[in-house]
Amino acid sequence: RASVLALTAGALLLAVGLRDRTAWPFGVAGQVMARPGGLGLAAALLLGVVSMTAASTGTTPPLPYLPVLNVADIAQLFGLGACVALLQLARAERPKDTLRLIGDGLRLAVAAVAFLWFNGMLARTVHHYGDVPMTFSALWGSTPFHVALSVSWSALALSLMVLATRRKLRTVWVVAAAGLGVTVIKLFLVDLSRLSTVAKIGTFLVVGLLLLAVGYFSPLPPARAEPDAPKGPPTEPTP
């Protein structure tokens, strides 16, 4: 499964990277990949990433498991990277309105699947290093998994908010802030009832420090200013 995903992503990246070549089939392939054919292939890659996230434990005997640095995670990141490259190509090609809407939907899908992969990576890490069975019920009842989710979600949201502040991406900042709000809700509704006293204290301290860092490092980017209206010639005062 990982090899199929990696080969498909490699083919897409090859076509996108060689789109400026005039020799057949590179030029034709680049034009096709910037249009619905490429979007369909990207959708297939996203489905492959979701499938691997749900089914793979990241085990590759005889190699030991390493977070991110394993066959499953590398193949999934390769697939996500191919989708991002395709989206950049589609934006550069300035597609028509219909394809632009499809591209926007695919961009949201890539972000959602990337977040799903991130949580799957956390689950696989807890499975291997915390001796927790790779099942939903076992993970949901696991203290290390809930601590990893709360801390990692907070750190991820803070990183996105800092990036959004520096690049003045107001929408990204708002989405990251909403994710941080979901983390706080999870702390009170889930973690308080499931975690031990020590785990509660540690998790709340880390998340609280990250919340304080948000206000210092990543204030809300300003909205795009409206262009000033052109000034006409001065009018003479009426008597």
Side-chain angles (χ1 to χ4, degrees), residues 234-239:
T235 58
E236 296 182 359
T238 58

Side-chain angles (χ1 to χ4, degrees), residues 63-236:
L63 299 176
Y65 174 83
L66 293 175
V68 181
L69 300 178
N70 58 81
V71 173
D73 285 333
I74 291 174
Q76 291 176 87
L77 289 175
F78 198 32
L80 290 171
C83 293
V84 172
L86 177 63
L87 287 172
Q88 292 178 345
L89 173 60
R91 178 182 296 181
E93 292 289 337
R94 297 172 181 256
K96 296 180 180 180
D97 292 339
T98 302
L99 293 182
R100 186 178 294 112
L101 290 175
I102 296 175
D104 291 341
L106 183 61
R107 189 174 296 109
L108 293 175
V110 170
V113 173
F115 183 66
L116 180 65
W117 163 81
F118 180 76
N119 290 298
M121 182 269 296
L122 292 178
R124 287 188 289 270
T125 301
V126 171
H127 165 66
H128 284 278
Y129 293 104
D131 293 328
V132 178
M134 193 65 177
T135 62
F136 178 80
S137 59
L139 288 169
W140 188 252
S142 167
T143 295
F145 184 61
H146 282 288
V147 172
L149 286 181
S150 298
V151 174
S152 299
W153 285 1
S154 301
L156 179 62
L158 175 61
S159 301
L160 290 175
M161 293 169 78
V162 171
L163 177 65
T165 298
R166 292 182 177 180
R167 297 192 178 184
K168 298 181 179 180
L169 303 173
R170 190 180 180 92
T171 302
V172 175
W173 193 98
V174 171
V175 172
L180 194 58
V182 171
T183 304
V184 174
I185 293 174
K186 175 183 176 296
L187 283 174
F188 287 97
L189 296 183
V190 178
D191 294 358
L192 278 177
S193 62
R194 291 181 176 272
L195 302 185
S196 62
T197 302
V198 176
K200 289 177 186 176
I201 294 174
T203 304
F204 272 78
L205 282 177
V206 173
V207 175
L209 291 174
L210 291 174
L211 288 173
L212 290 176
V214 167
Y216 182 80
F217 291 105
S218 57
L220 177 65
R224 294 183 179 180
E226 295 291 335
D228 296 334
K231 297 181 179 180
T235 58
E236 296 182 359

